[in-house]
Amino acid sequence: MWTIVLFETDNTVNVVPNFWYSNGICQWPKRNLKTDTKNIIKRRIKPDEVTFNSYKARPLLENIDSYVEAETKAIKAQETSELSSNDDDKNTRKFRKIKQMSSTITKKLKEKSYLPKLPVFCDN
């Protein structure tokens, strides 16, 4: 199950696994992680004190069955404070930044080998 939360400190919205949110606190991966945040969310990684921070948040919608459905509703939540069909209340929000590895860095890592070339031995 998934929850859409509003992070109070920066007024951002995102989808998190239900167990990341409890009693007004939401766990969120630290920015210095090598893996991208979206992947951590989708894989529903269990939060710990080393790789996650705690933030004040409030749930906008809870117990959503699929990640795709939750993400669609989170996009709507950026534009309105209610996730109902009433579009009169336009209070703009933005998504919490998700760290992803740059495609240029990924390409360079794939293209270039950082290991030294093997020596060639000749029989004389």
Side-chain angles (χ1 to χ4, degrees):
M1 298 294 253
W2 302 91
T3 298
I4 299 171
V5 294
L6 170 66
F7 292 93
E8 294 179 0
T9 54
D10 57 3
N11 200 37
T12 56
V13 173
N14 218 310
V15 176
V16 296
N18 275 7
F19 58 91
W20 285 18
Y21 175 80
S22 179
N23 300 324
I25 301 294
C26 186
Q27 303 300 314
W28 188 259
K30 291 184 178 180
R31 294 186 192 273
N32 60 353
L33 292 176
K34 301 256 187 246
T35 58
D36 67 278
T37 304
K38 194 165 194 171
N39 189 28
I40 293 171
I41 294 168
K42 285 183 174 180
R43 290 179 48 211
R44 302 173 58 87
I45 302 293
K46 184 179 178 186
D48 60 43
E49 291 178 7
V50 175
T51 56
F52 282 74
N53 287 323
S54 299
Y55 297 95
K56 283 188 175 183
R58 66 181 176 92
L60 298 178
L61 195 60
E62 296 179 284
N63 299 320
I64 304 167
D65 290 329
S66 75
Y67 177 80
V68 174
E69 179 186 356
E71 194 170 44
T72 302
K73 291 183 179 194
I75 291 167
K76 184 176 180 181
Q78 288 180 22
E79 300 170 359
T80 177
S81 62
E82 291 295 323
L83 291 176
S84 64
S85 59
N86 184 0
D87 290 332
D88 295 337
D89 185 11
K90 296 281 182 182
N91 182 10
T92 58
R93 299 182 181 126
K94 54 190 173 187
F95 266 109
R96 181 161 276 243
K97 288 184 180 177
I98 293 180
K99 180 183 175 186
Q100 295 180 345
M101 194 177 274
S102 162
S103 60
T104 340
I105 293 171
T106 308
K107 261 187 185 176
K108 284 181 182 178
L109 288 174
K110 287 180 182 176
E111 290 172 359
K112 186 175 181 180
S113 173
Y114 291 94
L115 296 174
K117 292 186 178 183
L118 294 173
V120 179
F121 295 101
C122 299
D123 288 335
N124 287 341

